[in-house]
């Protein structure tokens, strides 16, 4: 019995998005940069949250837009220069970090009864920064995939995972541990010291807190999580993981900076400093662990490429 070798499919060219994402990124850097200049010249609205809409001053955000535009141009001009790709990823992460207050926009918008200020102008500005982060990341990904022309749809993919990686399982348990540690810190100072009044929104918040802190990380790495459609775990896992990491990562850096300057972190909040030094790192561990577990879930559940069979 003889077998006939399968003729490989014709390698297709790069998808269309690889050409238009860099253009959109350059357009975003120009448009958003002009908005930042408008704000910096005294035309910014009155923000509801303390400080500005972003976690950096207006003129620094203008400079960040210029740097972002320069990186997009460099990646388009010298697509083979790998350091530019790394800088694009770093710029995308930076925009996520400076718009970390968007996490409060989401929570306050979904649960208005908590009393979190609703700042429409600030929310639009922060979501504009996040849109730029997505476009910069898309540009970096497009250039990465163009470096391997064998299969534009799946360059850099590895062999299929037959089980959840151990590092993903460990990350999920770290995330759950961070959530439990945050609850333990609250229990020590008393649950009646929260700044939010008892209400339906508070009950929903607490329920979501437990789901996102314990149920979601474990579903991402154990068999039960495979019964859900992928988007039901990937979207909240990636969104919450990135949001919590950015918000509390920046918060921890601010705490360290204020302490080194002899200031009191979170001055004005009637809670002991020890609470913040436990709660904020616990949140950060939770966010990072959730993001890593989500990535492991993505690797385990993604579908193979139709052209080359890789995952």
């Amino acid at each position: 019995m003889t077998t006939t070798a399968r003729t490989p499919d014709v390698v297709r060219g790069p998808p269309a998005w690889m050409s238009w994402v860099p253009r959109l990124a350059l357009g975003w850097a120009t448009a958003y940069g002009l908005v930042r200049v408008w704000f910096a010249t005294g035309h910014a609205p009155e923000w509801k949250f303390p400080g500005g809409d972003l976690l950096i001053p207006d003129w620094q955000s203008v400079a960040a837009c210029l740097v972002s535009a320069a990186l997009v141009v460099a990646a388009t001009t010298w697509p083979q220069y790998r350091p530019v790709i790394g800088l694009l990823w770093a710029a995308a992460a930076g925009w996520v970090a400076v718009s970390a207050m968007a996490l409060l926009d989401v929570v306050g918008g979904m649960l208005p009864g908590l009393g979190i200020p609703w700042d429409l102008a600030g929310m639009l500005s922060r979501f504009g920064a996040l849109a730029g982060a997505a476009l910069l990341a898309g540009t970096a990904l497009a250039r990465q995939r163009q470096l391997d022309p064998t299969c534009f749809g799946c360059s850099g993919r590895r062999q299929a995972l037959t089980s959840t990686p151990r590092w993903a399982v460990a990350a999920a348990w770290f995330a759950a541990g961070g959530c439990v540690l945050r609850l333990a810190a609250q229990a020590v100072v008393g649950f009646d010291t929260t700044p939010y009044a008892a209400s339906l929104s508070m009950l929903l918040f607490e329920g979501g807190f437990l789901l996102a802190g314990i149920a979601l990380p474990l579903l991402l790495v154990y068999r039960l999580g495979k019964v859900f459609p992928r988007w039901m775990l990937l979207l909240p896992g990636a969104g919450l993981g990135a949001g919590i990491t950015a918000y509390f990562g920046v918060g921890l850096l601010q705490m360290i900076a204020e302490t080194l300057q002899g200031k009191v972190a979170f001055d004005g909040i009637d809670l002991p400093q020890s609470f913040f030094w436990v709660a904020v790192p616990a949140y950060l561990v939770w966010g990072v662990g959730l993001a890593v577990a989500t990535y492991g879930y993505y690797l385990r559940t993604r579908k193979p490429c139709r052209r080359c069979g890789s995952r």
Side-chain angles (χ1 to χ4, degrees), residues 270-299:
D270 189 19
L271 285 171
Q273 286 292 294
S274 57
F275 168 79
F276 297 111
W277 285 108
V278 173
V280 174
Y283 270 121
L284 183 58
V285 170
W286 173 6
V288 173
L290 183 58
V292 174
T294 302
Y295 181 62
Y297 181 81
Y298 162 73
L299 292 179

Side-chain angles (χ1 to χ4, degrees), residues 6-55:
R6 180 179 179 273
T7 303
D9 296 337
V10 176
V11 176
R12 300 179 183 178
W17 68 267
M18 289 190 178
S19 62
W20 56 255
V21 163
R23 299 173 189 171
L24 286 179
L26 188 58
W28 165 84
T30 303
Y32 195 66
L34 292 175
V35 172
R36 302 311 306 180
V37 170
W38 178 256
F39 289 167
T41 52
H43 300 91
E46 184 177 350
W47 311 113
K48 299 294 181 61
F49 290 117
D53 56 329
L54 301 180
L55 298 180

Side-chain angles (χ1 to χ4, degrees), residues 47-114:
W47 311 113
K48 299 294 181 61
F49 290 117
D53 56 329
L54 301 180
L55 298 180
I56 55 176
D58 290 328
W59 283 114
Q60 288 186 18
S61 65
V62 173
C65 289
L66 292 174
V67 171
S68 299
L71 289 174
V72 173
V73 172
T76 304
T77 307
W78 303 291
Q80 303 298 321
Y81 194 54
R82 291 182 181 273
V84 174
I85 297 176
L87 291 174
L88 277 171
W89 283 114
W95 281 110
V96 172
V98 301
S99 56
M101 298 287 280
L103 182 63
L104 294 182
D105 294 322
V106 174
V107 175
M110 295 178 62
L111 301 171
L114 290 177

